[in-house]
Amino acid sequence: METQKLLQKVRRIEIKTRRLSNHIFSGEYHSSFKGRGMAFSEVRRYEFGDDIRAIDWNVTAKLNEPYIKVFEEERELTLMLLVDLSGSENFGSRNQLKREMITEICATLAFSAIQNNDKVGVIFFSDTVEKFIPPGKGKSHILRIIRELIEFKPSSNKTNIAEALRFFSAFQKRRAIAFVLSDFMDSRYRDALKIASRKHDLTGIRIFDPREEDLPNIGLLPMRDPESGKTHWINTSSSKLRKQMKMRFKEFERYYRESFLRSGAGDISIRIDHSYPAALLGYFKKRSR
C-alpha cells in the first residue's frame, strides 16, 4: 500500500476508534478488568464514616488524633491481542472484510487500554506466529499496531489457533488480559485454550459473515479457498451442498462455544454486518455486573 494511502487509512481508523474508546469503552474497560490488587498510597485524617479497620494506629498514636491508611488499585495491566491473519479473514460479502473489522476492534481495545495506563502487545498468527509486537504504551505504539494490522502480509494462509495460544502462554509470565480475534474456523485449540485461560483473563472474539452460514442459491459460482488458494466451481442451487456448508459452519461454532465455556474464558460472536461497538459494550457491562 502506498505510504500516503496507508497513513490516511490509519488516520481514519484512529479517529473512529479513539472516539469510541473515549466516549464509550474506556470506563467500561476499566470496570471490567481490575488491577492486580491494592497498594498503599498515603495516610489521611480520619473522617466520619471511614472504616475503622483502616486506622493507622502508629500514626494515630504519634499525632494524637486518628489517621487512616489509603490504598489505591495497582492498575497497570498488559493487554495482548492475538490476531488471526489467515486467508479466511479476507472474506466479506457485505461492506467490510472480516480483517477490516478485526483491525477496528483491535484499535478500539488498544486505545481503551492506554487510556487506563495499560500496556498493549500483539501476536499476529496464521498456522504459525507471524509477528510479535511486545507490550508497550503511548499513541505512537498504538498507531504502529494499526499500521501493521492494515498492511502486514502473512507468510501462510492457513490457521492454527493453538500455536498462537502456546506462544502466548510461553512468553507472558505475568497475568494479562488477552483477546483472540479470529473466525475460529479451526478445531484443534481446546487444550491450548485451557492452559492459557488458567493463568490469563482470556476472551475470544469470533467474527463471521452471514454467507458462511447460509450460502445463497445463485447457481454455479467460482469460489476460491483463501487458505489453500484453489478455486472450485460449486453449484449453489444444490440444497445438499448448502446444507453441508451450514453444518460445517455450525460445527466450528459449536466447537468454539464449548471450548471457551469449558475453559472458563469469555466469548463474543459478532456478525460482520452488525455493530461491533454494541457487542463489545454488552460484553463489558455483563462482566462488570
Side-chain angles (χ1 to χ4, degrees):
M1 189 181 291
E2 294 178 11
T3 303
Q4 188 62 33
K5 287 183 178 178
L6 173 62
L7 292 175
Q8 289 173 354
K9 195 164 187 179
V10 170
R11 181 61 178 157
R12 283 197 299 271
I13 291 173
E14 180 195 0
I15 291 170
K16 179 178 180 179
T17 56
R18 283 194 77 171
R19 187 181 299 119
L20 284 170
S21 62
N22 286 339
H23 298 293
I24 301 176
F25 292 114
S26 182
E28 296 296 340
Y29 173 94
H30 185 98
S31 299
S32 298
F33 304 107
K34 301 297 183 183
R36 292 187 296 271
M38 304 301 289
F40 173 74
S41 174
E42 60 179 349
V43 293
R44 63 166 174 81
R45 282 189 179 92
Y46 176 86
E47 295 176 1
F48 179 75
D50 286 337
D51 189 344
I52 61 171
R53 291 174 295 181
I55 291 177
D56 187 322
W57 295 107
N58 290 329
V59 176
T60 297
K62 288 178 181 178
L63 300 178
N64 207 28
E65 60 177 314
Y67 274 74
I68 65 167
K69 294 178 181 178
V70 178
F71 294 85
E72 291 182 351
E73 181 185 4
E74 273 191 288
R75 175 61 228 179
E76 185 181 287
L77 300 171
T78 296
L79 170 68
M80 287 301 306
L81 302 169
L82 283 65
V83 183
D84 184 356
L85 296 182
S86 60
S88 62
E89 305 307 328
N90 293 315
F91 178 77
S93 63
R94 304 298 172 98
N95 296 327
Q96 193 175 39
L97 300 178
K98 287 186 280 186
R99 180 165 173 175
E100 290 172 340
M101 180 176 277
I102 285 173
T103 297
E104 289 191 14
I105 293 172
C106 285
T108 302
L109 292 170
F111 280 123
S112 297
I114 63 167
Q115 285 175 24
N116 284 279
N117 201 36
D118 294 344
K119 296 179 180 179
V120 183
V122 185
I123 298 169
F124 295 108
F125 70 92
S126 54
D127 60 347
T128 186
V129 173
E130 297 275 355
K131 189 179 184 70
F132 171 52
I133 301 177
K137 293 183 180 182
K139 178 182 172 182
S140 60
H141 179 70
I142 303 306
L143 293 180
R144 178 201 170 190
I145 289 172
I146 295 172
R147 286 197 302 271
E148 294 286 0
L149 284 162
I150 292 170
E151 69 171 356
F152 185 80
K153 292 179 173 58
S155 61
S156 171
N157 287 323
K158 297 180 180 179
T159 309
N160 189 334
I161 296 170
E163 186 65 24
L165 289 167
R166 282 193 288 266
F167 178 87
F168 169 60
S169 296
F171 96 84
Q172 186 65 37
K173 302 302 182 185
R174 298 183 71 178
R175 183 172 176 82
I177 304 162
F179 287 89
V180 186
L181 297 100
S182 174
D183 55 18
F184 288 90
M185 290 190 177
D186 187 9
S187 56
R188 301 161 295 168
Y189 56 84
R190 185 169 290 169
D191 290 342
L193 178 64
K194 285 180 181 177
I195 292 169
S197 61
R198 284 186 196 131
K199 183 177 179 183
H200 303 289
D201 189 337
L202 202 148
T203 301
I205 302 181
R206 174 175 162 265
I207 311 297
F208 69 97
D209 190 284
R211 291 296 181 233
E212 294 169 320
E213 181 178 11
D214 292 306
L215 193 66
N217 182 356
I218 53 175
L220 285 172
L221 184 70
M223 291 193 71
R224 180 178 176 273
D225 184 333
E227 299 206 354
S228 70
K230 295 180 180 179
T231 300
H232 306 276
W233 283 87
I234 64 170
N235 183 10
T236 62
S237 61
S238 167
S239 59
K240 181 180 179 181
L241 174 66
R242 294 199 306 274
K243 186 177 179 181
Q244 287 174 343
M245 296 282 285
K246 191 179 185 80
M247 286 176 61
R248 180 175 179 269
F249 176 87
K250 290 295 185 185
E251 285 171 4
F252 282 130
E253 180 183 37
R254 183 165 50 252
Y255 184 87
Y256 164 75
R257 292 192 183 281
E258 289 178 356
S259 297
F260 276 78
L261 180 63
R262 292 181 185 182
S263 68
D267 76 275
I268 312 170
S269 286
I270 307 174
R271 220 173 87 159
I272 199 169
D273 56 341
H274 289 179
S275 167
Y276 73 81
L280 290 178
L281 189 59
Y283 177 71
F284 287 167
K285 285 183 178 295
K286 182 180 176 182
R287 280 186 58 114
S288 297
R289 288 195 299 268

